[in-house]
Amino acid sequence: MAIKQKKSVSDKPKNRDQKVSRRTAGLNVVISIAAAAALLIIVNVISNKKNYRCDMEVFGRYGLSDSAEKILEQIDQPVRLTSIYTSTRSDRKPQEYLPRLRDMMEEIARQKDNVTVVNVTSDRAKAEVLGRLRRVLDEAASDHRAIIRGAQVLDGKQGQQYDTLTRQWAKYRPGGWLEQFALPKEIEAVMRAGKNDLREMTMKLRQDLSASLPDYPDMVRRVEVTLAELQGRLVGVSSRLRHLSTVPERAKKQRQVLTSAAAAVKSALAKASACIGRENSPLPQDSLKVLKSFAVDIRAVADSAQLAATQLDRFAGDGYVRYARSWRHKKVSLPRLYRRISGDINNIADQAEGLIRPATKVADRQRFITDARQVVPQYLAAAGRVQTAVNTLLDELTKLDKHTQKIFAQAKQDNYLQAQIKPLAELLEQASKVKPLPEHLNELIEKINQDNIVLIEIGDKTGVIGFDEVWPLKAGQQASPGDKDNQQDKRVFHGDSALCAKMLSMTAEPFAEVVLTFFEDIPERSLPYQQQRPMVGPIPSPLLRTVRERLEKANLEVTEWNLFRKPGRAKESKEGPPLPKRKDCPQVLLILPPPEPSPMPRGMPQQGSQWSDAEVEKVRKVISRRTPAIFLTGFLRPRYMAGMTMPARYGFGDYLRKDWGIDVRTALRVIQTKPDSRAPGKFKLEVVQWNFMPLSSFTDHVIGKPLQVRRMYWYNACPITAVSDSKTGAIIKDILAIPKGRNEVWAISDIEAFIEKVEQRDPLEADPDSGDLIPPFAVAVEATKQIENEQARIIVLAVGESFTDYYLQNPVFKLSEDGTIAPEPPPVADVDLLINSVYHLVGRDEYIGAGPAIVEPIKQIAPGTMLNVKIIFGLAWPILMFAIGVVVMIVRKR
């Protein structure tokens, strides 16, 4: 029998303690949850107002560079960043390129509170943005729009007027006075063309106005061209009619003079013919006496014919009489016919005078008289025909019909066509006073319709960044829409520097003034008979327009300093560069290679002003005053004289060697080759690499480090080495160099022999014994030294010809694996080397673009290794975790 035990009294406090403990635990849980919720709310509230973040990304691909942060700190105006990535091209898909850009723009917005980011990915959103920009553009281009409206109104008013004038001239009376000048049909064509030109202009304006952002400046230029051409044609018609209206009266006044001159020629010929006798009459007994008389008479014929030609030319002057139908007889003008008669008769007179000499035989005189009796009557008949032509001309010029009289009445008063000419002149004058649009609006018009752009709005300024600026091609890559590979792998993201550099140029004062320094004499205008050739160096300054534009976009001003001085005009020579526009704006000399002095024969003085040491001294003085300089140079082609090859001389070569310890080897040309499979250890040169040498082996120098993975091509580069025994005290640092061991790159000394080997497809290798230079050497260096306790700095870029417009505006041609040549975009990235150099010399290293991060791609795992990975992490690891869980469960049950 079970005995039932009673609860002990001591168990009651224990139960009570358990209840209290449970209440305390529950309360703790409630408090913890409430505290966590409160903390979460507080953190979210603070996060909405403050932005604290830590970039844990190892490679720094998504963070802002120091230069970008520096730029953003200076911008105190509201900034609106709008990405318009709506391209349908297969090589520019927004889903591939927009995410990276969007992350960068949001990063900028987190860095700066006054930055607003908008991502446009649909046509509707793009239309809203374009509508807002259209309103801004329309307001700024109010004067342009007034000209366009005026042109449209002009077409509406004058269109019917030209129709009326066309019909009037089409009905001009056949045989009217103006018909002899073929003028009615010509004026009819002018009127018809006037209407058609205005109609075409209006239709093109209407078409352009339908664009999202019309190019108002271009439309105004088109209006000016059309109206100016039309005005010129109408003024020409009016002027011609006004001039022709004076012709009948002048013809009446000159009739007596002209007819008398024509009659005098015929009368003189008749007299000479009578003197010599008829063709079948007996020969004179005294042939000498007859010839003397004939010589006088026939010379008078020549003089009278010449006078008649002069009188006709004087009557016609430079006017439209020469275009009259009767001005010509058998396609030859009347004055020319008289001059022909005069010339021929003079020859006959010369022969007659020659036979008057006593030593002449009688038989020769009689033979001449016989011939003259046959020739002179022919000229007499010709003179009669020309006289008739002169009378016909005067008759036609003086018989004026009534219809033409009415037209001439208006022309004399300068009223004809004034109803059409005056409105044209007024609108053209108004168009000439239109102020140009701000540069940022011109850029907006030019780039807004490109694929995948970024719109930047700061205050009242707008800027546009194109796709190739944000996503430039990688070094050695090319893009084509038909390529099925991932296009993003061929491009590198450069949004950091692209966006911030654009914002910098829109907000900040220019950092520095780049002084383009050269020695040139380019005649402003040469007449056809003046064969003066311009004197320029290997890099003419007019061919640096692209460089100028890029420098200005990089927030740098560009001025010029021409070292050339014409003989006898010493006052025009400047001992130094022009003064900067702002006192606190530093200057940087961008020095182009000067032209070589023209060789003259021994004993002959030099003609004109030539490059000399005096110009080098000017530059030396400026640099010694702590003005930094960039020297552009490169391979200089040799000269060929008298069968000899003479190396070109670089004008600043001695200065760089003696003052800076830099030896610029301009007689050598750097080439880059590829291994030749036919001959191990030797190389071959692809033709395209001769002009487009891919080279991005930049050092860690602050100028070149951001460019290490950029797509850079160079032309006519030359090596730079340090002078071994230099005592200049200069410290030389490489920027772009070819390190030791790169056997496929070297500098050739004999360019003709090298080209011959390439043409014969011979294996190539460097030959130091013949003058070739093998690495290491540089093609871009910086040098610093102390001058009067102050630091002076220069940079030498031996790739100067790579900055010309010819090189930067033409596509790069690359030889593909199948042997075809494919074009790439122009190598505009080369200018970044120049811009970074200027930034560095003026102490703006923080603004040098960071460039894209170098990220090693993840290699594909081998199939065998991949199988092991699947077994370990896909099977073994889950089984192990399951087994451990089972063991823990059993232990806890015990």
Side-chain angles (χ1 to χ4, degrees):
M1 182 178 201
I3 300 175
K4 192 175 181 180
Q5 295 183 353
K6 294 183 179 180
K7 291 183 179 181
S8 174
V9 178
S10 61
D11 290 340
K12 294 181 179 180
K14 185 177 180 180
N15 293 335
R16 205 167 30 247
D17 292 342
Q18 290 178 351
K19 292 180 180 179
V20 172
S21 177
R22 282 194 290 268
R23 291 193 192 100
T24 304
L27 183 61
N28 289 337
V29 171
V30 172
I31 294 174
S32 299
I33 294 174
L39 180 62
L40 181 63
I41 294 173
I42 294 173
V43 169
N44 277 276
V45 171
I46 295 175
S47 299
N48 285 331
K49 296 183 178 180
K50 299 290 184 179
N51 182 19
Y52 300 101
R53 66 187 297 272
C54 179
D55 190 359
M56 305 298 293
E57 206 271 329
V58 176
F59 297 108
R61 292 171 295 180
Y62 298 94
L64 293 177
S65 64
D66 294 337
S67 62
E69 294 178 357
K70 184 73 174 179
I71 293 172
L72 291 175
E73 289 176 2
Q74 295 184 357
I75 300 175
D76 54 1
Q77 303 179 60
V79 179
R80 185 183 181 93
L81 302 178
T82 305
S83 65
I84 307 177
Y85 270 51
T86 58
S87 176
T88 57
R89 289 177 52 174
S90 59
D91 61 333
R92 298 189 178 187
K93 295 180 179 179
Q95 56 267 32
E96 294 182 5
Y97 293 100
L98 180 58
R100 184 72 180 276
L101 173 64
R102 183 173 53 225
D103 291 342
M104 176 61 65
M105 294 169 60
E106 292 175 354
E107 177 69 16
I108 293 175
R110 284 191 291 266
Q111 181 73 22
K112 197 73 174 176
D113 294 337
N114 59 351
V115 175
T116 303
V117 174
V118 178
N119 293 299
V120 174
T121 57
S122 65
D123 292 337
R124 180 177 180 180
K126 182 178 180 180
E128 293 177 357
V129 173
L130 294 178
R132 176 170 54 82
L133 296 176
R134 174 68 179 266
R135 291 189 292 271
V136 175
L137 178 62
D138 287 349
E139 182 179 356
S142 58
D143 293 342
H144 296 75
R145 295 168 60 214
I147 298 300
I148 295 169
R149 285 194 301 270
Q152 293 173 324
V153 171
L154 191 67
D155 176 38
K157 290 183 177 180
Q158 291 197 355
Q160 296 180 353
Q161 297 175 6
Y162 289 122
D163 281 338
T164 302
L165 290 169
T166 301
R167 288 193 296 268
Q168 290 177 357
W169 284 102
K171 295 178 180 179
Y172 185 82
R173 186 178 67 84
W177 190 86
L178 292 174
E179 282 285 353
Q180 61 182 314
F181 298 95
L183 198 57
K185 294 297 182 183
E186 181 180 341
I187 298 178
E188 179 187 349
V190 168
M191 301 307 162
R192 185 177 292 109
K195 177 186 177 180
N196 294 336
D197 290 348
L198 288 179
R199 183 67 52 83
E200 291 177 4
M201 177 193 69
T202 305
M203 293 177 61
K204 190 66 171 65
L205 291 177
R206 189 181 301 114
Q207 179 182 353
D208 292 346
L209 286 172
S210 63
S212 53
L213 291 183
D215 191 349
Y216 289 124
D218 183 67
M219 295 168 70
V220 170
R221 283 192 293 270
R222 194 181 310 119
V223 168
E224 288 182 299
V225 171
T226 303
L227 298 188
E229 291 179 353
L230 180 55
Q231 182 191 32
R233 292 196 294 265
L234 295 179
V235 170
V237 170
S238 177
S239 174
R240 190 169 181 178
L241 291 174
R242 186 171 58 253
H243 182 87
L244 287 175
S245 65
T246 64
V247 170
E249 188 65 27
R250 289 193 301 111
K252 291 179 181 179
K253 293 181 179 179
Q254 294 293 321
R255 187 180 189 102
Q256 181 64 33
V257 175
L258 297 178
T259 54
S260 298
V265 176
K266 185 177 181 180
S267 176
L269 273 168
K271 182 179 179 182
S273 178
C275 178
I276 201 70
R278 295 182 179 181
E279 180 178 357
N280 296 324
S281 60
L283 292 173
Q285 296 294 327
D286 191 355
S287 57
L288 178 61
K289 180 180 178 181
V290 171
L291 283 178
K292 285 182 178 180
S293 178
F294 177 75
V296 174
D297 293 343
I298 203 68
R299 185 70 72 180
V301 172
D303 293 341
S304 61
Q306 182 64 36
L307 179 61
T310 303
Q311 294 288 356
L312 285 169
D313 281 334
R314 189 177 299 165
F315 165 67
D318 295 329
Y320 294 100
V321 173
R322 298 180 184 275
Y323 298 99
R325 181 176 53 242
S326 54
W327 176 257
R328 296 176 178 274
H329 178 69
K330 294 183 178 180
K331 299 182 180 181
V332 182
S333 66
L334 300 181
R336 188 174 182 181
L337 289 173
Y338 274 125
R339 288 192 174 91
R340 284 182 179 180
I341 294 174
S342 176
D344 294 346
I345 296 300
N346 272 324
N347 291 333
I348 296 174
D350 292 338
Q351 296 177 31
E353 292 172 353
L355 293 172
I356 296 175
R357 293 193 298 269
T360 305
K361 296 180 180 179
V362 175
D364 293 337
R365 292 171 182 165
Q366 290 181 346
R367 191 180 304 111
F368 174 80
I369 292 173
T370 302
D371 295 338
R373 285 177 174 179
Q374 297 177 357
V375 172
V376 172
Q378 296 176 7
Y379 283 103
L380 178 60
R385 290 192 295 270
V386 177
Q387 182 184 18
T388 302
V390 170
N391 292 330
T392 302
L393 171 67
L394 294 173
D395 290 341
E396 292 185 357
L397 291 180
T398 53
K399 293 180 181 179
L400 195 62
D401 58 278
K402 293 182 179 180
H403 186 195
T404 308
Q405 287 178 356
K406 293 179 180 180
I407 296 175
F408 281 170
Q410 289 181 324
K412 289 180 179 179
Q413 297 177 4
D414 204 15
N415 291 331
Y416 192 69
L417 296 179
Q418 288 305 305
Q420 292 76 36
I421 296 175
K422 188 176 180 180
L424 294 175
E426 292 176 351
L427 191 57
L428 283 172
E429 183 180 2
Q430 184 181 351
S432 65
K433 297 178 180 179
V434 173
K435 295 181 180 179
L437 288 178
E439 187 60 33
H440 66 93
L441 290 180
N442 287 326
E443 182 188 46
L444 180 66
I445 295 171
E446 178 184 355
K447 294 184 176 181
I448 194 63
N449 291 320
Q450 294 181 2
D451 282 335
N452 295 353
I453 62 172
V454 178
L455 178 67
I456 301 178
E457 298 171 83
I458 303 178
D460 58 349
K461 293 183 178 181
T462 58
V464 179
I465 302 178
F467 177 76
D468 288 324
E469 297 177 76
V470 178
W471 290 96
L473 287 173
K474 289 181 181 178
Q477 296 293 333
Q478 67 183 49
S480 86
D483 198 344
K484 297 181 180 179
D485 297 335
N486 187 3
Q487 295 291 335
Q488 192 171 359
D489 292 341
K490 296 185 176 183
R491 293 185 178 270
V492 61
F493 184 68
H494 212 247
D496 177 289
S497 60
L499 268 67
C500 293
K502 187 65 178 180
M503 289 189 284
L504 175 66
S505 64
M506 294 171 63
T507 56
E509 291 288 338
F511 288 152
E513 190 175 274
V514 179
V515 182
L516 202 58
T517 306
F518 49 84
F519 186 87
E520 295 177 352
D521 180 23
I522 302 177
E524 295 182 1
R525 180 178 299 176
S526 298
L527 296 176
Y529 57 84
Q530 293 178 338
Q531 300 299 326
Q532 182 181 358
R533 298 178 59 185
M535 182 173 63
V536 296
I539 308 176
S541 63
L543 297 184
L544 296 178
R545 290 189 297 271
T546 305
V547 168
R548 290 172 184 260
E549 294 174 0
R550 288 289 307 277
L551 289 173
E552 291 171 354
K553 289 181 179 180
N555 207 37
L556 300 167
E557 291 187 1
V558 181
T559 58
E560 294 182 353
W561 178 26
N562 192 352
L563 297 168
F564 177 77
R565 177 181 60 188
K566 291 186 178 181
R569 303 177 70 174
K571 292 182 180 181
E572 295 184 2
S573 176
K574 296 181 179 179
E575 295 298 327
L579 296 176
K581 297 179 180 179
R582 293 183 293 111
K583 293 183 179 180
D584 59 341
C585 184
Q587 289 184 320
V588 176
L589 301 184
L590 182 57
I591 304 174
L592 306 184
E596 286 193 84
S598 301
M600 299 297 295
R602 184 176 299 178
M604 295 290 292
Q606 292 285 351
Q607 295 181 358
S609 179
Q610 300 283 337
W611 177 261
S612 65
D613 293 338
E615 283 67 42
V616 178
E617 188 60 30
K618 292 179 184 179
V619 174
R620 177 187 281 112
K621 288 181 179 179
V622 175
I623 295 177
S624 65
R625 294 197 294 265
R626 301 182 304 282
T627 299
I630 300 174
F631 290 84
L632 295 186
T633 183
F635 168 70
L636 301 181
R637 299 167 182 81
R639 295 179 299 172
Y640 302 96
M641 296 182 59
M644 299 177 60
T645 302
M646 301 178 60
R649 177 178 174 270
Y650 176 42
F652 288 100
D654 292 341
Y655 164 72
L656 294 175
R657 277 190 296 270
K658 296 177 182 178
D659 287 41
W660 294 91
I662 297 175
D663 190 6
V664 184
R665 311 283 291 274
T666 55
L668 305 179
R669 192 187 196 275
V670 179
I671 59 153
Q672 187 180 56
T673 60
K674 289 186 176 182
D676 192 343
S677 58
R678 302 170 303 169
K682 295 188 178 182
F683 305 91
K684 63 180 180 179
L685 178 72
E686 293 182 354
V687 177
V688 293
Q689 285 188 315
W690 180 259
N691 292 329
F692 303 102
M693 183 180 69
L695 188 64
S696 299
S697 56
F698 290 93
T699 65
D700 288 338
H701 192 287
V702 65
I703 294 175
K705 188 174 182 179
L707 308 175
Q708 289 175 346
V709 294
R710 294 297 302 276
R711 170 181 166 271
M712 315 288 274
Y713 291 93
W714 309 105
Y715 175 63
N716 270 353
C718 76
I720 301 175
T721 58
V723 178
S724 58
D725 56 348
S726 174
K727 299 179 181 180
T728 61
I731 301 175
I732 303 174
K733 297 180 181 179
D734 293 344
I735 300 174
L736 178 57
I738 293 86
K740 185 178 181 180
R742 288 197 61 177
N743 299 328
E744 80 280 5
V745 182
W746 71 90
I748 58 174
S749 58
D750 191 341
I751 189 171
E752 289 187 347
F754 182 82
I755 293 176
E756 184 177 355
K757 289 183 179 180
V758 173
E759 291 176 346
Q760 295 178 357
R761 303 180 65 85
D762 293 339
L764 306 173
E765 63 178 339
D767 186 5
D769 295 335
S770 65
D772 291 353
L773 181 65
I774 60 176
F777 56 79
V779 293
V781 300
E782 179 197 18
T784 59
K785 71 173 183 177
Q786 296 291 323
I787 299 179
E788 297 180 357
N789 299 325
E790 296 287 346
Q791 189 180 58
R793 293 193 295 178
I794 65 169
I795 291 175
V796 181
L797 305 179
V799 288
E801 288 193 57
S802 307
F803 301 119
T804 61
D805 294 336
Y806 289 144
Y807 200 72
L808 297 177
Q809 294 179 357
N810 289 309
V812 176
F813 292 97
K814 183 180 178 182
L815 188 65
S816 59
E817 295 181 357
D818 59 358
T820 60
I821 297 179
E824 295 185 17
V828 293
D830 292 356
V831 187
D832 290 338
L833 174 60
L834 189 57
I835 294 173
N836 288 359
S837 299
V838 177
Y839 281 164
H840 179 62
L841 291 177
V842 298
R844 298 280 184 168
D845 289 353
E846 66 272 20
Y847 292 104
I848 292 178
I854 303 175
V855 182
E856 292 293 337
I858 299 175
K859 297 181 179 180
Q860 185 177 1
I861 301 175
T865 307
M866 191 64 186
L867 179 61
N868 295 332
V869 170
K870 290 179 179 180
I871 293 174
I872 294 173
F873 294 99
L875 181 62
W877 182 259
I879 292 175
L880 178 62
M881 292 297 102
F882 178 76
I884 293 174
V886 172
V887 172
V888 171
M889 182 182 65
I890 294 174
V891 170
R892 291 186 65 182
K893 283 186 176 182
R894 290 180 180 179

